[in-house]
Amino acid sequence: TQLLEQSPQFLSIQEGENLTVYCNSSSVFSSLQWYRQEPGEGPVLLVTVVTGGEVKKLKRLTFQFGDARKDSSLHITAAQPGDTGLYLCAALNTDKLIFGTGTRLQVFP
Amino acid sequence: DADVTQTPRNRITKTGKRIMLECSQTKGHDRMYWYRQDPGLGLRLIYYSFDVKDINKGEISDGYSVSRQAQAKFSLSLESAIPNQTALYFCATSDSGQLDYGYTFGSGTRLTVV
C-alpha cells in the first residue's frame, strides 16, 4: 500500500511554462519533505513543511502543505531545463521516511 | 569526498550469488537506512538502524540482511541474489535530533542480477 501518491507520474513541458505537482495521502503527517533526484545521483532535500497551510518559496519553486496536513503541492514558475529531474515527496511515518511514487519532469529548451 | 559513499557504483552478478553493498558516511549521523528504487514505485525501505546495536526491518526486507559495523558503516547483503532484486539501491543517513533537515543520500548502487 502506497501511503503517498504523486501526480502526474510524468510531465514533459517547454521552457518557460508553469507546472504543479501533487502529493496526496489519506494519512495526516507532522511534516512533509520534497526532494529532487537527478540521473546518477541520490535525492537531495529541497524543503520541509511542518504547519498546515504553510507556504515556502525557493526561488521559482513554491511548496504548500495542505490545511489538514494530508497533502502538498509543488509549483514551478517559468520552468527551465535545469529543473529536469525526479521530484519525490516524503513524510515521516513512525520515525522513518516513506516516499511518494515520484513525478518525472522533463523541461525542453 | 562525498558525505555518504556507496560502493560499488555498479554491479552485475549471477543468480544465486551472495553480494554485499557497502555504505560509509562522514556526517556523524546516528541513523542509517537502505532503500531500493524501482521505476514507478519510488523509494522503498529495506532496513534501517538508529544506532550501532539497533537493526530494524523495513517494508521489503525479505531476501536481504544488514550489518552496522560502526556508526559510520552500514552494509546490505543479498544472500542469494535473484533477478527481481535488480534495482537501484540507496543508502541514506539522518540525525535523530534534526529530522526536519532531511536525509542525506549516497549516489546509489545499480545492481543487475542475471
Side-chain angles (χ1 to χ4, degrees):
Chain A
T1 303
Q2 195 74 39
L3 292 182
L4 290 170
E5 296 287 344
Q6 288 186 241
S7 61
Q9 190 174 0
F10 299 99
L11 198 51
S12 182
I13 61 172
Q14 292 293 127
E15 182 176 1
E17 292 184 27
N18 302 331
L19 66 114
T20 302
V21 174
Y22 300 93
C23 175
N24 295 294
S25 176
S26 57
S27 301
V28 176
F29 297 108
S30 58
S31 65
L32 193 138
Q33 298 178 343
W34 284 92
Y35 290 77
R36 180 167 67 207
Q37 182 181 9
E38 299 185 13
E41 298 297 329
V44 175
L45 179 69
L46 294 173
V47 76
T48 300
V49 285
V50 298
T51 306
E54 181 177 3
V55 176
K56 279 192 174 179
K57 293 192 175 184
L58 187 64
K59 296 183 181 178
R60 294 174 293 100
L61 278 60
T62 302
F63 304 85
Q64 184 162 9
F65 201 12
D67 291 341
R69 290 183 288 126
K70 291 183 177 182
D71 55 84
S72 181
S73 63
L74 158 59
H75 182 79
I76 301 179
T77 303
Q80 298 178 0
D83 295 326
T84 293
L86 178 67
Y87 289 81
L88 295 158
C89 64
L92 280 173
N93 182 22
T94 56
D95 253 4
K96 52 195 183 298
L97 274 183
I98 56 168
F99 285 83
T101 47
T103 293
R104 190 166 297 279
L105 171 65
Q106 177 85 50
V107 182
F108 292 98
Chain B
D1 287 345
D3 292 328
V4 181
T5 302
Q6 290 184 236
T7 56
R9 287 298 309 271
N10 292 281
R11 180 75 182 265
I12 300 174
T13 191
K14 293 186 177 181
T15 298
K17 291 291 188 182
R18 184 179 189 274
I19 181 171
M20 180 183 289
L21 309 184
E22 300 193 25
C23 176
S24 63
Q25 55 126 337
T26 58
K27 297 284 291 184
H29 287 168
D30 50 347
R31 298 182 174 189
M32 298 187 75
Y33 311 81
W34 276 104
Y35 283 88
R36 167 179 172 158
Q37 187 173 39
D38 299 277
L41 295 177
L43 287 154
R44 293 181 293 165
L45 184 61
I46 306 172
Y47 269 97
Y48 60 103
S49 168
F50 284 173
D51 201 347
V52 174
K53 296 180 181 179
D54 177 70
I55 299 290
N56 304 282
K57 292 184 177 180
E59 182 186 354
I60 53 164
S61 59
D62 287 349
Y64 302 95
S65 63
V66 291
S67 174
R68 184 86 183 263
Q69 301 96 322
Q71 187 189 33
K73 295 184 183 294
F74 192 36
S75 60
L76 175 72
S77 294
L78 286 67
E79 298 302 325
S80 179
I82 56 177
N84 78 358
Q85 291 178 313
T86 293
L88 195 52
Y89 290 85
F90 286 100
C91 174
T93 71
S94 69
D95 184 331
S96 59
Q98 302 187 45
L99 294 177
D100 285 349
Y101 284 30
Y103 286 11
T104 302
F105 283 84
S107 296
T109 293
R110 184 168 296 281
L111 177 65
T112 303
V113 183
V114 297

